[in-house]
Amino acid sequence: MPSSASPSSQPTAPTHALPTPFDSASCTLITQGAEAFLYRTSFLPHPSTPSSSAGNCALKHRPSKPYRHAVLDKRLTRARILAEARVLVRCRREGVPVPAVLGLDWEEGWVALEWVEGVTVRRGVDEFVNEGRGEEGEEGLGDRKKEREATLRDLMIRIGRAVGRLHAIDVVHGDLTTSNLMLRPPSSSSGVVRQSGSTSPDASVPITTLAGDIVLIDFGLAAQNALDEDKAVDLYVLERAFGSTHPYAERFLDSMLAGYGDSYKGARVVLRRLEDVRMRGRKKSMLG
Ligand SMILES: Nc1ncnc2c1ncn2[C@@H]1O[C@H](COP(=O)(O)OP(=O)(O)OP(=O)(O)O)[C@@H](O)[C@H]1O
Ligand SMILES: [Mg+2]
C-alpha cells in the first residue's frame, strides 16, 4: 500500500491513538499507510523467553475505521491481522526470510513483529543509484560502473531467490513492491549499509553497497496454497514495481528471474507462466 509518510522521512512522535498497552513515549511512527500505522517500539519479553529477544520491534496497528460498520470493521481487522500473522509464522517455520511474530491482539488491532535492521530495497537501490550518478560519463570510471552494475545484479539475484523460497512453500505475497522487501546488513558492525530506523538514523551516511540479506515484509495480502498462475502474477507485480520505481534497475530484471529460476524445483514452470501473464498485461494496456 502506498504510504503517505515515507520511510525516508524522519520518524515522528505518534499523532494517532496507540493501541493498549502501548504509549506514545515508547513508540515512534515510521510510516502511515491507508490501512496501517507502523511504529518502532521496544519489546519486553515474557519472563519465560530469553532476555536476548528484548529489543526493537515493529508495531503494526490497524486502527478502526469510523466509516465502516463497527461489527464488520472488527471482523475485517481481525481477519487481516490473523491472516498476516499465520502466513508469517508458517514462513518462519519453513525458513523463508521474514520477521518473527512477537505478539498480537486483534481486538486492539495490532501485531508486533521482529524489527528488521537495514533499509527497504526501494530506498537502498535509489540511494545506491543516485550515489553512482555523478560518476557516469566520467573518464576512467568504466571499471567502477561495471562494479556497480555487478552489485545491482547480485542484489537482483538475491531478491529472486528470496521470492523463490516463498513460492517454494506455495505462498504468494500479493503486493511485491520494493518497499515490501528489506535489505538487512550482513552485520551491524560493518557499518557500510546505513541502519534505517535505528535509534538515531544517520541520513548523511550514503549507501555504498547493497550487501545483506533480503527479508520479505508486509504480508497483509498474502495467500497460501498458491498456484503457478498466482506465483507468476506475484513476479509480474514485482517486475512492474521495478519498472515504475527504478527504471535504471529494470535492465537487471533478468538476474532476478535467474535467481528465482534456480531457487526451487517448480520455478521454471512459473517463469513460463510469467510470459503468458506479461502478454495478457500488454494486451490489456493496448486496449486501455
Ligand atoms: N519488521 C519490520 N522491521 C523494520 N521496518 C519495518 C518492518 N515492517 C515494516 N517496516 C517499515 O514500515 C513500512 C510499512 O510497513 P508495511 O509494508 O508492513 O505496511 P503497509 O504497507 O502500510 O501495510 P498494509 O499494506 O498491510 O496495510 C515498510 O516499508 C518498512 O519501511
Ligand atoms: Mg508495505
Side-chain angles (χ1 to χ4, degrees):
M1 146 200 324
S3 297
S4 50
S6 83
S8 55
S9 56
Q10 281 299 313
T12 49
T15 49
H16 283 78
L18 282 152
T20 314
F22 300 93
D23 61 33
S24 56
S26 57
C27 293
T28 309
L29 182 65
I30 302 295
T31 66
Q32 173 183 338
E35 294 277 334
F37 291 76
L38 204 297
Y39 300 95
R40 189 183 64 243
T41 184
S42 46
F43 172 68
L44 296 175
H46 188 269
S48 65
T49 56
S51 59
S52 59
S53 58
N56 278 337
C57 90
L59 173 68
K60 192 165 179 175
H61 181 212
R62 295 182 179 277
S64 59
K65 300 252 184 257
Y67 55 81
R68 273 202 303 239
H69 185 281
V71 176
L72 196 69
D73 185 59
K74 274 232 173 295
R75 209 181 290 161
L76 259 177
T77 304
R78 177 179 186 269
R80 288 199 180 143
I81 286 177
L82 278 179
E84 185 165 10
R86 276 194 191 114
V87 174
L88 285 170
V89 167
R90 163 121 197 273
C91 287
R92 284 288 286 200
R93 212 176 39 222
E94 308 268 3
V96 180
V98 299
V101 177
L102 304 175
L104 59 81
D105 183 339
W106 62 73
E107 289 293 331
E108 287 289 328
W110 60 263
V111 55
L113 306 169
E114 170 194 4
W115 182 259
V116 179
E117 293 295 349
V119 293
T120 60
V121 165
R122 176 171 190 159
R123 191 162 161 201
V125 169
D126 273 352
E127 295 192 15
F128 182 78
V129 169
N130 284 338
E131 270 295 294
R133 205 147 267 159
E135 295 169 2
E136 265 171 39
E138 288 176 36
E139 274 178 42
L141 287 173
D143 286 349
R144 283 275 286 281
K145 197 172 166 208
K146 270 192 205 140
E147 222 175 85
R148 298 184 73 80
E149 289 189 357
T151 303
L152 271 167
R153 280 205 179 278
D154 190 60
L155 174 78
M156 298 300 263
I157 292 172
R158 274 175 285 141
I159 292 175
R161 280 190 197 137
V163 176
R165 285 175 77 176
L166 181 72
H167 286 185
I169 61 160
D170 295 332
V171 172
V172 281
H173 184 279
D175 188 20
L176 273 182
T177 64
T178 51
S179 301
N180 289 335
L181 297 170
M182 294 206 55
L183 186 57
R184 175 160 52 197
S187 115
S188 39
S189 59
S190 75
V192 240
V193 178
R194 187 189 334 128
Q195 312 263 297
S196 92
S198 60
T199 20
S200 57
D202 182 359
S204 63
V205 181
I207 289 175
T208 53
T209 171
L210 294 171
D213 295 325
I214 298 296
V215 182
L216 303 148
I217 59 162
D218 194 359
F219 281 72
L221 296 172
Q224 307 208 43
N225 305 317
L227 306 173
D228 288 344
E229 171 74 16
D230 308 318
K231 296 177 190 177
V233 170
D234 230 18
L235 289 176
Y236 183 66
V237 169
L238 184 57
E239 279 189 342
R240 298 286 297 242
F242 265 105
S244 60
T245 51
H246 312 283
Y248 174 82
E250 203 180 3
R251 74 187 83 163
F252 307 123
L253 277 173
D254 57 333
S255 299
M256 192 270 282
L257 298 178
Y260 180 88
D262 290 336
S263 63
Y264 71 103
K265 208 164 150 247
R268 307 242 161 231
V269 182
V270 174
L271 289 179
R272 280 199 290 279
R273 262 302 169 101
L274 174 62
E275 286 165 26
D276 301 339
V277 177
R278 281 193 199 124
M279 194 102 78
R280 288 202 302 266
R282 270 199 292 271
K283 264 191 209 151
K284 190 148 185 257
S285 63
M286 268 189 326
L287 295 172

